[in-house]
Amino acid sequence: SDDSTRDIEPNTTSFAIVIHHLAKIGNVGEAEDLFHRMLQLHGDGIISAKPDIFCYNSILDGLSKSKRPDAPQDAEKMLRTMESKGGDLSPDTVSYTSCIHAYARRRLPRRAEYILRRMIWAYEDGNERARPDETSFGAVASAWASLGTQEGVEKVEALVEFQEELYREGSAPDMAPNAIHYNALANAWAKFKTKASGDNAFRVLKRMRAQGVEPNTITVNTILTALARSDDGKRAVIKADSIMEDTRSGKLPVLLDLISFNAYLDCLGRNGAPNAFQRVEETLERMKEVGVLPDRITFNTAMKLLAKSEDKGSGKMAVRILDMMENSDDPSIRPNRRSYAACINAVGRDDSQPERAQVAYEIYQRMGNPNTQAINGVLSACSFLPKEKRKDAVSIAIKLIDDFKQRRGVSPDHITFSTMFKVIGTSMPPGKEKEEMARSILKECCEAGLLSDLVIKNLKKTVPRSVFRELIDFPSEEWRRNV
């Protein structure tokens, strides 16, 4: 502070560089401390340097990425300070957009949109530095899309329409919606998860191309995801197939990635696509052609698709996929419990395999840590055996019951018991042995509090009416407590 050290007094640039660095590496608290220290030193007349807009924006950027609970509110407080100071400190595009991000990343779209409106008002009032850009609109749109609600969809739609209107009027052609904003609209529909979501997301693809905006990989992935979640059956499959065909022919010049193929397989599986066997083969082959390596999700989703198929040989194909996963040296491909459960379900539905119950049970035994879903899958396989194999079904079912009792952390659910009744109902001849087994299973079911309507329905089909009335004459609510 004396004349001898005046030549090394830190200036605004010195402070700005350090504040920016601290904020960038995630130490926004230290950056704020230095910022306020700079203000204090300037106010006390010790230094002539004072914060400039770069210092303010560095803090705002740090707050936008901070996990601190009050970070968005602190960012808005700083923004208001800048607005009140005006002049060279009037907020610019970066200032407003950072504050928008602070709220958007916390899934607080209402506040994020309010900051966007303030940004627009500031620009209309003459602050040309506060001109909204694609990132400003995109952050708000993405925040609304993440909610997965009707309001979220409507808000993103309104934002995109507003941008389209600005473009049509010619007042702000640089604010026209681009792929980021249309992707947010497609994502809003994907997360909303209604039957119409897939169709509406698919329309976004046509809409953006009509506006001269080229879709990208994220666009395709988002729409395929929306189609998968829509449960729109054949209509969803047709749309997903058209997207994949257009990318193959070049009509839709988009590079597919791992997410694209996984979303496509998921769409086929959830919507009951026909010819599953052929589709899985073709999809895996196309992945190989374009140089995309499958992962565990790819194979699990493929086996789930095969599990819903009525194609002969689908179970054998699932087993081949599981074998390949088990033999892989890549940890990202090695099977997990979902892999085994999906394979078991595929085997159980493949009526071209008369030994499918035994094959399903052997796959179950290969699991290091079986879960309820896998056990239910084996039981399901046992319930659809031909006459000559039904004794095997009862034997396997008994083994599974014993296994349940010995394993920790694996509990039956109401599907387990209802399927057990289905197995003994179709596989055991009428008589005392069958009735006693039904009594024993029902006792365990009631003790577990899992007496669902489905359990009662299958029990009724298993035992004579007189026995059924005796067993379920006055069912207790305690027996249903965990349904």
Side-chain angles (χ1 to χ4, degrees), residues 52-54 56 82 85-92 129:
D52 61 5
I53 192 168
F54 185 74
Y56 279 91
M82 295 173 74
K85 286 183 177 294
D88 290 342
L89 292 179
S90 294
D92 61 10
R129 299 194 308 178

Side-chain angles (χ1 to χ4, degrees), residues 45 52 149 160 317 341 362 411:
D52 61 5
T149 63
V160 172
M317 185 176 192
E362 288 170 0
S411 303

